[in-house]
Amino acid sequence: MTLQSTSFKKFLSILRNALNITDELPAEVSAEEWTELYKFSQSHALLGVVFEGVRKMKDNAAPPFQMLMQWIATAEKIRGMNQKFNAKCKQLTEFFEKNGHKTAILKG
């Protein structure tokens, strides 16, 4: 999926904000653009990351309520899966260290 240049600029702005690179956020995002941004974020496995910027959006630029609720639910699901993954990584690292092996957990 590709975005129109104005939507892509808004996506990058939200992503940069989510990564604490900038405080800037788009002043306005239309409902159609939100649909594009959501699908684009989803197709690039960035829904959870981009949500950190989305949650900082002002009311007039925030996603439509239904989409926001869907985004919140997805972000919480991702957070829960990451917590389980991190706990399992810790368990495996401790197991290998106990048996004299060095480890490196790579997450992609």
Side-chain angles (χ1 to χ4, degrees):
M1 165 167 209
T2 59
L3 291 176
Q4 294 179 2
S5 69
T6 56
S7 296
F8 187 67
K9 287 177 184 176
K10 291 176 182 182
F11 169 81
L12 287 178
S13 175
I14 295 167
L15 180 60
R16 285 183 187 117
N17 184 283
L19 297 172
N20 295 316
I21 295 170
T22 182
D23 289 334
E24 293 179 32
L25 286 166
E28 285 185 29
V29 182
S30 70
E32 296 81 23
E33 287 174 317
W34 275 120
T35 300
E36 286 182 65
L37 294 173
Y38 185 91
K39 289 179 180 178
F40 187 78
S41 298
Q42 186 176 41
S43 70
H44 287 75
L46 289 171
L47 276 175
V49 176
V50 173
F51 178 70
E52 289 303 311
V54 170
R55 66 183 188 81
K56 299 175 190 175
M57 300 291 289
K58 302 287 186 229
D59 290 340
N60 60 328
F65 182 77
Q66 201 63 14
M67 178 177 287
L68 182 60
M69 293 297 105
Q70 181 179 356
W71 217 320
I72 290 169
T74 303
E76 284 304 310
K77 183 178 177 182
I78 292 167
R79 187 183 324 276
M81 289 179 352
N82 280 334
Q83 287 174 339
K84 288 179 184 177
F85 182 81
N86 292 340
K88 186 56 88 172
C89 287
K90 180 181 178 189
Q91 182 183 18
L92 286 170
T93 300
E94 290 171 351
F95 171 79
F96 283 116
E97 284 179 356
K98 215 181 281 184
N99 289 291
H101 302 285
K102 291 183 179 182
T103 62
I105 303 293
L106 305 177
K107 186 176 173 183

